[in-house]
């Protein structure tokens, strides 16, 4: 086949993910697309994958992707007329503890909301599904009827056949060798010639960092991924399993002993054991272990010693495993992003370039990933909010050591529970506040926010600050009393939160105001004031929220969440007119939140500023003799100011604030305080899963302004007909756990919505959930139920105003 000179999209990489992207582009009518594969399709990680396809995930977005994949795979063979071995065997997932059972209950609840029938089981029910398993030490388990295994090569070939049939092209044995830009187009170089195209996709699997480096001259960054070695082995055939399968007419379900960290699956009549071992191994990082230029269809040498503990544990669980020897071991490369989730979406900093790589479960996720990728490319937005997999979630702190340490941590804890008060310890202290050491001395228990270290809570002498104390889903723990005290200090006196890493952009130039008005739904603040601005996408869904501080007609500071840094820069930078200046100043300025009824008295002692200026104003001032910008706003919902100052000046300011009597508080307290005010958090309560109207943000939409803005027509239509869902605040009669993200909301045995965040409110003394419910039920006083870890608790819809200080009198005092 000769290579075309031009294409709309060029995909680099013919593993399951690249091919699925091609297939979904073709389904969307984008058939003028070419996939380049340097060897044969599947030559990377795909050919040797075990092919397990679970629907289980603790992430709503990843579950969406896997659910879609599985549904696609069930019909794919017939749809594209390509036979595939897809065994839907179901799986049993084992729990060794009550906390693990709670995790299963939560995921089963999310699954129910997505239309899946994940079932909680007793140990004896588990044994009915899998009679060869010991269950005496189990707390219970989970049955996933849709789990199964499939031949990854057949899957890839089926997707390829579907894509080709629709007109897309696949060029095998055609390595891409580089990219360049010409006249706003990409030119992808190959050994067989160049292809000009509008859009490039890096789907190069564990070679994604190599391909990613080509984009660095065009604004890109080194791809933050590490290659781990992952093994599974197959036993010789086991006669008992063969006999059982014959008698039952089906295979055993996959067994996942997640607390011991392995899966065990039937393969024909043998068993396949795949551990995720703590003593894991990263590859291709050092000079004595260089990444080869080509590793197609190759494996690492066997390293079964590493798996010894897991093999023994699995033999105790399923004694039949020890009845036969090892027939074959597979030890292959698998790419890990620093949090173990794949990268799917816009390539940070590079126009018209996307990436879909670093998949640890690419067979299970490939179908959904192709759909998501095709939506990003063809529509610029996705059906489901995909922030969990967005490449822009990692920013400038992900050097190779960070990536290695996180990959090792994530791999060794592949099946770990992610508890709400736990902070993962590897690769920390990447970005520090100028008062970091002081915060730690004060007892700060630190968490990482886009690499910035912030105190989550402050421990006192004798508090249990061990990692093991955090292994709980409940709000009870050594932090609880401290969070309460911190919230009370803010309520009754004055608190200080050291908040480095607020994302901060300076926008200026003729027409800056006009440009912003065309991006946001609402109005801009007047000069000297600040306001909240919401950026919708074309569907009117909430892309992001920023605080806009206006210094002049066309001069603005935009402040947003730490984690949103690259995402929001992208939002502002896209179509930026040449006349405007946009600068990311996140590393130049740091912030303190100083709030509480005594905060004015505090600043009276230490600041030269006009403390009579009202709510939502800002001013240049002196604090402790240092220059600072004071912003009269408070996410905590009390009288207060944000202090923005340089890194050099902040230590003196912090000491002055402390000496004047402020109590330090942490992020956990801030979360509790903000939820009592109904303030939404980005990528929980505010996401592209919901429109501005659904999110109850109509007061931030100005339909009658002159400028058009993204999603205006969609929002106007929705405002006319009324939304189908509505944002609500609920008081929940909860037990010892508050509602996690995406807990089901019930009304008379129907799921009518989901929570978007939940927390205990220490000022109002209640468990609060924010969420979305069917619009006709978003009525104050209506009784609903919130399902928290499998138990339904009574909940009441609250009036559409903050629970704490509904008139904002404290805030405006
Ligand atoms: C031992 C093992 C078992 C696994 N088991 C499972 C499992 O049970 N279930 C599951 O879901 N996942 C499993 N995985 C993970 C799974 O294999 C991967 O997530 C998946 O294959 C990733 O697919 P991909 O398309 O992203 O990457 P790859 O399959 O690696 O494809 C990338 C392709 O890009 C090509 N390429 C690279 N550079 C270039 C270039 N310059 N030009 C052109 N082409 C290029 C490569 O040749 C390769 O074919 C397992 C992995 C391992 C190692």
């Amino acid at each position: 086949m000769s290579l075309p000179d031009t294409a709309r999209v060029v995909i680099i990489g013919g593993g399951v993910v690249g091919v699925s992207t091609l297939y979904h582009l073709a389904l969307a009518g984008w058939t003028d697309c070419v996939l380049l594969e340097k060897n044969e399709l599947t030559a990377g990680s795909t050919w040797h994958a075990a092919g397990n396809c679970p629907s289980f995930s603790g992430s709503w977005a990843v579950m969406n992707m896997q659910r879609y994949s599985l549904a696609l795979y069930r019909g794919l063979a017939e749809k594209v007329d390509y036979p595939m071995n897809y065994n839907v065997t179901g799986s049993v997932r084992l729990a060794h503890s009550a906390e693990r059972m709670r995790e299963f209950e939560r995921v089963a609840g999310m699954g129910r909301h997505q239309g899946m029938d994940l079932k909680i089981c007793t140990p004896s029910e588990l044994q009915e599904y899998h009679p060869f398993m010991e269950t005496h030490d189990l707390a219970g388990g989970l049955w996933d009827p849709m789990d199964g295994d499939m031949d990854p090569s057949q899957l890839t070939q089926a997707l390829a056949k579907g894509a080709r049939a629709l007109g897309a092209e696949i060029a095998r044995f055609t390595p891409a060798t580089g990219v360049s830009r010409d006249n706003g187009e990409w030119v992808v170089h190959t050994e067989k010639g160049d292809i000009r195209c509008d859009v490039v996709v890096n789907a190069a699997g564990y070679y994604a960092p190599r391909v990613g480096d080509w984009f660095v001259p065009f604004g890109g960054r080194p791809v933050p991924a590490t290659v781990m070695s992952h093994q599974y082995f197959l036993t010789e055939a086991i006669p008992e399993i063969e006999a059982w399968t014959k008698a039952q007419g089906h295979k055993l379900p996959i067994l996942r002993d997640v607390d011991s960290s392995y899966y065990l699956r039937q393969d024909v009549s043998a068993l396949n054991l795949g551990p995720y071992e703590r003593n894991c191994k990263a590859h291709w990082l050092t000079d004595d272990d260089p990444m080869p230029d080509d590793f197609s269809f190759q494996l690492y040498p066997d390293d079964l010693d590493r798996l010894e503990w897991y093999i023994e544990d699995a033999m105790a669980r399923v004694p039949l495993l020890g009845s036969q020897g090892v027939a074959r071991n597979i030890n292959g490369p698998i790419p890990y992003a620093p949090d173990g989730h794949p990268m799917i979406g816009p390539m940070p900093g590079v126009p018209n370039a996307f990436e879909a790589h670093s998949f640890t479960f690419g067979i299970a996720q490939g179908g959904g990933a192709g759909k998501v990728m095709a939506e990003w490319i063809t529509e610029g937005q996705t059906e489901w909010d995909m922030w969990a997999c967005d490449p822009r979630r990692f920013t400038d702190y992900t050097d190779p050591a960070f990536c290695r340490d996180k990959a090792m941590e994530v791999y060794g804890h592949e099946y770990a529970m992610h508890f709400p008060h736990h902070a993962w310890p590897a690769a920390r202290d990447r970005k520090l506040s100028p008062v970091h050491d002081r915060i730690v001395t004060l007892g700060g228990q630190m968490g990482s926010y886009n690499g910035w270290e912030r105190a989550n809570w402050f421990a006192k002498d004798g508090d249990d600050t061990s990692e093991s104390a955090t292994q709980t889903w409940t709000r009870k723990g050594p932090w609880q009393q401290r969070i309460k005290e911190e919230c009370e200090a803010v309520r009754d006196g004055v608190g200080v939160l050291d908040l480095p890493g607020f994302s901060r952009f300076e926008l200026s130039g003729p027409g800056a105001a006009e440009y912003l008005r065309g991006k946001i739904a609402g109005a801009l603040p007047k000069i000297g004031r600040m306001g909240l601005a919401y950026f919708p996408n074309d569907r009117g869904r909430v892309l992001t929220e920023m605080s806009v501080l206006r210094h002049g007609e066309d001069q603005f500071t935009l402040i947003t969440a730490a984690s949103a840094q690259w995402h929001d820069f992208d939002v502002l930078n896209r179509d930026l007119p040449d006349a405007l200046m946009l600068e990311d100043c996140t590393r130049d300025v740091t912030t303190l939140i100083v709030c509480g009824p005594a905060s004015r008295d505090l600043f009276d002692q230490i600041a030269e500023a006009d403390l009579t200026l009202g709510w939502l104003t800002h001013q240049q001032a002196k604090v402790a003799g240092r220059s600072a910008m004071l912003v009269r706003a408070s996410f905590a919902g009390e009288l207060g100011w944000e202090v923005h100052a340089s890194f050099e000046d902040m230590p003196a300011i912090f000491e002055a604030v402390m000496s004047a009597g402020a109590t330090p508080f942490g992020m956990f307290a801030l979360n509790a305080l903000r939820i009592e005010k109904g303030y939404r958090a980005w990528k929980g309560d505010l996401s592209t899963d919901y429109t501005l109207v659904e999110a109850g943000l109509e007061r931030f939409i100005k339909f009658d302004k002159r400028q058009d803005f993204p999603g205006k027509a969609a929002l106007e239509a929705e405002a006319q007909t009324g939304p189908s869902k509505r944002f609500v605040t609920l008081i929940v009669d909860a037990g010892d756990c508050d509602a996690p993200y995406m807990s089901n909301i019930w009304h008379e045995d129907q799921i009518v919505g989901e929570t978007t965040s939940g927390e205990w409110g220490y000022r109002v003394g209640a468990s609060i959930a924010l969420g979305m419910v069917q619009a006709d039920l978003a009525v104050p006083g209506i009784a609903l139920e919130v399902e928290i870890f499998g138990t339904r608790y009574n909940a009441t819809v609250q009036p559409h105003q903050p629970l704490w200080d509904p008139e904002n009198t404290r805030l405006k005092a």
Side-chain angles (χ1 to χ4, degrees):
M1 183 196 101
S2 68
L3 209 57
D5 300 335
T6 61
R8 212 167 173 187
V9 182
V10 171
I11 299 167
I12 301 171
V16 63
V17 173
V19 178
S20 176
T21 300
L22 187 75
Y23 175 62
H24 282 87
L25 282 169
L27 281 181
W30 283 43
T31 51
D32 180 12
C33 301
V34 178
L35 182 144
L36 304 175
E37 165 52 50
K38 72 172 172 192
N39 196 281
E40 180 54 270
L41 294 180
T42 77
S45 292
T46 299
W47 70 277
H48 56 60
N52 303 330
C53 289
S55 51
F56 184 101
S57 174
S59 154
W60 178 257
V62 172
M63 181 184 264
N64 257 325
M65 229 173 20
Q66 292 178 173
R67 174 182 53 76
Y68 173 89
S69 291
L70 272 45
L72 173 77
Y73 301 166
R74 287 195 291 276
L76 188 64
E78 201 178 329
K79 189 165 178 192
V80 302
D81 189 24
Y82 189 95
M84 290 179 357
N85 289 323
Y86 182 22
N87 305 299
V88 181
T89 57
S91 70
V92 286
R93 207 169 262 262
L94 316 184
H96 292 199
S97 68
E99 291 307 282
R100 182 63 82 175
M101 285 304 284
R102 281 186 158 171
E103 184 204 38
F104 290 175
E105 290 276 14
R106 166 163 160 60
V107 175
M110 291 200 319
R112 202 170 302 125
H113 201 346
Q114 292 199 13
M116 295 186 295
D117 192 18
L118 304 175
K119 198 180 109 200
I120 298 295
C121 298
T122 62
S124 54
E125 285 169 332
L126 292 173
Q127 205 155 34
E128 281 172 31
Y129 287 118
H130 197 305
F132 300 112
M133 169 176 68
E134 290 292 334
T135 56
H136 62 276
D137 55 345
L138 296 178
L142 183 85
W143 168 247
D144 175 356
M146 285 302 158
D147 207 335
D149 66 272
M150 82 134 53
D151 181 319
S153 298
Q154 288 176 341
L155 168 63
T156 310
Q157 296 298 348
L159 291 164
K161 183 171 184 209
R164 284 193 189 103
L166 291 164
E169 283 190 46
I170 295 178
R172 296 173 302 132
F173 302 101
T174 311
T177 53
V179 295
S180 55
R181 237 151 131 81
D182 185 38
N183 260 339
E185 285 181 329
W186 287 108
V187 182
V188 180
H189 309 293
T190 81
E191 289 173 356
K192 298 178 183 171
D194 292 348
I195 311 183
R196 298 178 75 87
C197 60
D198 299 330
V199 171
V200 189
V201 182
N202 177 357
Y206 52 80
Y207 278 108
R210 283 251 174 120
V211 171
D213 283 347
W214 302 340
F215 293 87
V216 172
F218 306 102
R221 72 348 177 178
V223 167
T226 300
V227 182
M228 302 294 299
S229 110
H230 179 43
Q231 302 186 75
Y232 64 86
F233 70 79
L234 298 163
T235 65
E236 303 286 359
I238 300 175
E240 290 88 337
I241 291 184
E242 191 172 358
W244 185 88
T245 306
K246 216 173 251 171
Q248 301 295 317
H250 60 83
K251 285 170 68 175
L252 284 165
I254 303 174
L255 182 159
R256 288 197 175 77
D257 194 334
V258 287
D259 289 310
S260 291
S261 194
Y262 60 78
Y263 69 80
L264 185 65
R265 161 163 87 68
Q266 181 177 346
D267 191 285
V268 194
S269 302
L271 286 174
N272 163 343
L273 179 71
Y276 292 91
E277 67 281 14
R278 287 278 163 94
N279 51 331
C280 51
K281 187 161 173 47
H283 266 290
W284 300 339
L285 289 170
T286 52
D287 290 345
D288 57 358
D289 179 25
M291 188 182 202
D293 285 339
D294 187 32
F295 202 67
S296 301
F297 295 112
Q298 294 183 53
L299 294 172
Y300 299 127
D302 293 354
D303 192 2
L304 282 170
D305 288 354
R306 246 167 51 207
L307 309 186
E308 205 177 302
W309 184 89
Y310 301 87
I311 296 170
E312 278 173 20
D313 193 81
M315 284 188 336
R317 179 70 56 210
V318 179
L320 268 185
L321 177 66
S323 68
Q324 298 292 329
V326 172
R328 192 157 61 99
N329 188 56
I330 306 282
N331 185 3
I334 186 167
Y336 266 72
D339 60 1
H341 283 170
M343 308 266 189
I344 317 169
M347 186 183 290
V350 186
N352 297 333
F354 294 82
E355 45 192 35
H357 56 72
S358 301
F359 284 80
T360 61
F361 292 96
I363 311 308
Q365 294 164 4
K371 165 187 152 69
V372 169
M373 197 72 258
E375 288 170 351
W376 270 124
I377 295 168
T378 61
E379 300 173 48
Q381 55 198 0
T382 53
E383 179 187 352
W384 316 305
D385 188 280
M386 288 305 298
W387 179 243
C389 301
D390 194 308
R392 295 167 294 184
R393 70 192 186 277
F394 296 110
T395 62
D396 54 355
Y397 59 101
T398 56
D399 57 36
F402 173 90
C403 294
R404 178 202 58 214
D405 293 352
K406 290 305 284 183
M408 303 269 289
E409 180 179 64
V410 174
Y411 181 98
H413 297 85
E414 179 65 60
Y415 294 123
M417 291 176 270
H418 295 269
F419 294 113
H421 297 100
H422 176 244
W424 287 97
R428 296 292 299 276
D429 288 358
R430 291 287 139 170
K431 293 192 275 190
L432 301 182
S433 140
V435 294
H436 175 80
D437 293 346
R438 181 83 160 93
I439 295 293
V440 172
T441 313
L442 287 165
Q445 302 302 303
M446 310 307 283
S448 173
Y449 297 80
N450 187 24
W452 290 96
E453 294 287 326
R454 294 175 178 170
N456 282 329
W457 61 285
F458 286 85
K460 290 192 175 158
D461 284 350
D463 286 350
D464 181 357
T465 57
S466 65
E467 200 177 352
S468 61
T470 64
Q471 303 300 293
T472 173
W473 296 107
T474 70
R475 80 178 77 82
K476 290 184 187 147
W479 51 80
Q480 189 180 17
Q481 178 60 22
R482 303 294 164 242
I483 299 173
K484 180 171 183 288
E485 290 162 3
E486 291 168 27
C487 290
E488 286 169 356
V490 171
R491 180 194 65 191
D492 301 334
V494 54
V496 57
L497 172 65
D498 176 44
L499 200 74
F502 246 152
S503 303
R504 174 185 307 264
F505 313 109
E506 300 294 339
L507 178 72
S508 60
E514 194 62 9
Y515 174 67
L516 274 182
R517 286 194 193 99
K519 292 236 157 204
I520 66 174
L524 289 171
K526 295 199 173 72
I527 295 167
R529 294 188 60 82
M530 74 162 278
L532 272 186
Y534 289 89
F535 293 68
N537 68 11
D538 288 342
R539 295 188 181 129
R541 297 185 184 188
V542 185
L543 206 50
T544 192
E545 170 206 70
M546 299 192 207
S547 295
V548 181
L549 281 68
R550 194 164 188 184
H551 308 290
E553 181 53 35
D554 278 323
Q555 197 190 348
F556 300 90
T557 301
L558 298 116
I559 297 178
T560 160
S563 56
Q565 187 183 2
W566 280 10
H567 176 277
D568 284 6
F569 187 82
D570 218 15
V571 170
L572 291 171
N573 196 37
R574 197 167 309 142
D575 354 296
L576 188 77
D578 289 344
L580 300 193
M581 277 269 300
L582 175 68
E583 210 184 337
D584 183 335
C585 300
T586 302
R587 282 194 182 257
D588 300 339
V589 181
T590 183
T591 305
L592 297 182
I593 307 278
V594 182
C595 57
S599 54
R600 182 173 280 125
D601 295 342
L602 180 146
F603 283 113
D604 231 0
Q605 298 170 50
I606 63 168
E608 292 163 46
D610 181 354
L611 299 174
T612 63
L613 286 185
W615 189 42
L616 302 180
T617 58
H618 55 89
Q619 60 182 304
Q620 279 304 323
K622 290 256 183 224
V623 184
R626 310 296 177 117
S627 290
M629 180 168 66
L630 286 186
V631 180
R632 175 84 195 277
S634 164
F635 202 44
E638 299 287 349
L639 173 71
W641 282 263
E642 292 171 1
V643 185
H644 301 265
S646 69
F647 276 63
E648 299 77 57
D649 286 332
M650 195 52 100
I653 295 174
F654 182 77
E655 285 315 323
V657 169
M658 288 295 290
S659 304
T663 302
F665 69 103
M667 295 299 289
F668 290 166
L670 184 67
N671 195 37
L673 294 161
R674 69 94 195 165
I675 208 167
E676 289 171 302
K677 291 293 290 179
Y679 294 158
R680 280 73 151 175
W682 190 62
K683 290 307 175 194
D685 314 302
L686 298 173
S687 78
T688 56
D689 281 332
Y690 307 112
T691 68
L692 267 76
V693 174
E694 288 173 336
L697 297 169
E698 288 98 325
R699 68 183 187 286
F700 295 98
I701 310 175
K702 203 165 156 39
F703 285 123
D704 60 357
K705 70 180 180 182
R706 194 171 40 80
Q707 298 78 9
D708 196 13
F709 57 86
K712 185 175 184 181
L715 288 167
E716 257 168 351
E718 192 181 26
Q720 293 258 312
T721 53
S724 55
K725 299 175 188 173
R726 269 271 174 204
F727 175 82
V728 287
T729 299
L730 300 165
I731 293 272
V732 190
D733 200 1
D736 57 0
C737 300
D738 303 306
Y741 177 61
M742 290 292 166
S743 300
N744 293 331
I745 301 177
W746 293 80
H747 182 247
E748 294 175 355
D749 286 332
Q750 294 282 330
I751 295 177
V752 294
E754 63 280 342
T755 62
T756 50
S757 57
E759 195 51 71
W760 186 266
Y762 290 89
R763 286 177 299 194
V764 302
S767 182
I768 302 164
L770 307 183
M772 290 285 172
V773 296
Q774 207 176 283
D776 59 327
L777 296 170
V779 179
I782 283 216
L784 301 172
E785 288 173 309
V786 176
E787 179 186 336
I788 303 177
F789 297 110
T791 304
R792 289 199 222 164
Y793 295 94
N794 291 333
T796 311
V797 176
Q798 299 300 303
H800 299 305
Q801 60 186 29
L803 288 171
W804 176 250
D805 187 24
E807 304 299 329
N808 287 337
T809 44
R810 297 171 68 92
L811 205 61
K812 293 180 179 171

